[in-house]
């Protein structure tokens, strides 16, 4: 997660939220679906073939996600790829009060728009949303999860008990930059000196624009970054094939968490992408996803 966020802060951002309002990536028309609570969720799609929905992690949206953008380009020859702005980000709406269940409903609305049966790939906190969605949405035919941020042991400190409250308080007082810094140092583990260097960049301003959504991700991760073993029955009803992947260069807690998740998911497979980190190279991930999504009974080999 360190290199992912620092990469964006040092110029990986393509622009601040809203700069491409009304138009999706590469000229594809931006569209909206309406979630159950009336919130408009912006998305774009590209390619032809079976639908794949990408679910982004903290701070990301369609204009601030170079990994997702490139991955969509690579998958488009074989799939129709849907990228959407999670609520409160980019061109999507934001209806109070926030609840994690509303994010599942947002994903459900996108799945319905895509035809009702899709493959889903979730990244970081987005992987947790996708996993929770798979508990109740039969339309998720296969589920790929890249490094959900689980802290299941003493590999790293858990999130502070008041993590979400502190984020909300900073944003309410207009201290958005401090909220981003708190997330980066306490949740993402970015060194303080790297954060200080990032604060003068255009990417940092884009982060501040969506700082209010960091508390949303905190709510998503509240129980999964608590430093306790994963509950054996939380996702026991997930019947879709699941691939849990991590990077060989990622931090130990992310790799430990990925293995722990695969161990409690019925029929899940675990795969380590050697040489990769939390900022996975789309060129490495794309063929893995293509195999997992299209080849029956031939998931990539377990690590």
């Amino acid at each position: 997660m360190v290199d992912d966020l620092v990469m964006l802060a040092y110029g990986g951002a393509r622009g601040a939220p809203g700069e491409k309002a009304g138009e999706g990536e590469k000229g594809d028309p931006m569209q909206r679906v309406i979630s159950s609570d009336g919130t408009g969720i912006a998305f774009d799609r590209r390619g032809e073939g079976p639908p794949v929905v990408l679910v982004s992690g903290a701070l990301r949206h369609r204009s601030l996600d170079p990994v997702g953008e490139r991955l969509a380009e690579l998958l488009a020859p074989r799939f129709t790829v849907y990228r959407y702005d999670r609520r409160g980000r980019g061109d999507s709406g934001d209806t109070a009060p926030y609840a994690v269940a509303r994010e599942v409903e947002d994903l459900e609305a996108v799945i319905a728009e895509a035809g009702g049966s899709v493959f889903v790939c979730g990244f970081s906190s987005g992987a947790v949303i996708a996993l929770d969605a798979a508990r109740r949405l039969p339309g998720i035919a296969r589920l790929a999860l890249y490094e959900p941020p689980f802290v299941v042991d003493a590999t790293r400190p858990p999130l502070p008990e008041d993590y979400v409250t502190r984020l909300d308080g900073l944003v309410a007082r207009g201290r958005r930059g401090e909220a981003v810094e708190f997330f980066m140092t306490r949740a993402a583990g970015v060194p303080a000196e790297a954060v200080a260097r990032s604060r003068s960049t255009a990417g940092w301003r884009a982060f501040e624009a969506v700082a209010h959504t960091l508390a949303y991700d905190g709510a998503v991760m509240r129980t999964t970054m608590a430093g306790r073993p994963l509950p054996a029955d939380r996702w026991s009803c997930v019947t879709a094939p699941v691939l849990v992947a991590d990077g060989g260069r990622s931090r130990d807690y992310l790799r430990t968490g990925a293995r722990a998740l695969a161990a409690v998911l019925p029929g899940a497979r675990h795969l380590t992408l050697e040489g990769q980190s939390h900022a996975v190279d789309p060129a490495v991930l794309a063929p893995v996803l293509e195999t997992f999504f299209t080849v029956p009974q031939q998931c990539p080999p377990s690590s």
Side-chain angles (χ1 to χ4, degrees), residues 243-300:
L243 174 66
V244 185
D246 59 38
R249 292 179 52 244
S250 291
R251 299 179 67 190
D252 288 343
Y253 84 90
L254 290 168
R255 301 191 61 196
T256 300
R259 290 192 295 269
L261 177 61
V264 301
L265 287 176
R269 302 292 301 274
H270 171 253
L271 176 68
T272 293
L273 303 181
E274 296 301 335
Q276 297 304 300
S277 65
H278 202 61
V280 63
D281 183 348
V284 173
L285 182 59
V288 172
L289 294 179
E290 183 173 333
T291 298
F292 176 63
F293 289 151
T294 60
V295 181
Q297 306 300 321
Q298 294 186 25
C299 297

Side-chain angles (χ1 to χ4, degrees), residues 90-249:
D91 295 309
S92 286
D94 193 13
T95 303
Y98 175 82
V100 177
R102 303 292 84 77
E103 295 242 37
V104 173
E105 292 168 356
D106 300 344
L107 177 54
E108 183 177 22
V110 176
I111 290 173
E113 174 69 21
S117 179
V118 304
F119 306 130
V120 173
C121 179
F123 297 86
S124 197
S125 62
V128 184
I129 292 169
L131 184 57
D132 280 342
R135 297 170 60 191
R136 57 177 291 262
L137 302 182
I140 297 179
R142 294 198 176 198
L143 179 61
L145 307 171
Y146 190 78
E147 294 195 349
F150 293 162
V151 180
V152 300
D153 55 20
T155 308
R156 58 150 284 173
L159 284 180
E161 288 290 333
D162 63 348
Y163 175 74
V164 171
T165 301
R166 291 173 67 178
L167 283 171
D168 279 334
L170 288 169
V171 171
R173 296 192 297 274
R175 295 159 62 180
R176 286 177 168 264
E178 291 181 44
V180 176
E181 181 174 355
F182 183 57
F183 161 73
M184 285 191 172
T185 55
R186 297 303 298 271
V190 180
E193 58 273 17
V195 172
R197 290 195 300 269
S198 301
R199 295 195 65 153
S200 62
T201 66
W204 187 271
R205 293 192 295 276
F207 288 156
E208 289 184 347
V210 291
H212 57 286
T213 66
L214 290 172
Y216 303 173
D217 286 284
V220 170
M221 302 182 300
R222 189 192 305 270
T223 59
T224 64
M225 295 188 72
R228 298 188 296 268
L230 296 175
D233 59 349
R234 176 170 174 179
W235 300 290
S236 60
C237 61
V238 175
T239 58
V242 180
L243 174 66
V244 185
D246 59 38
R249 292 179 52 244

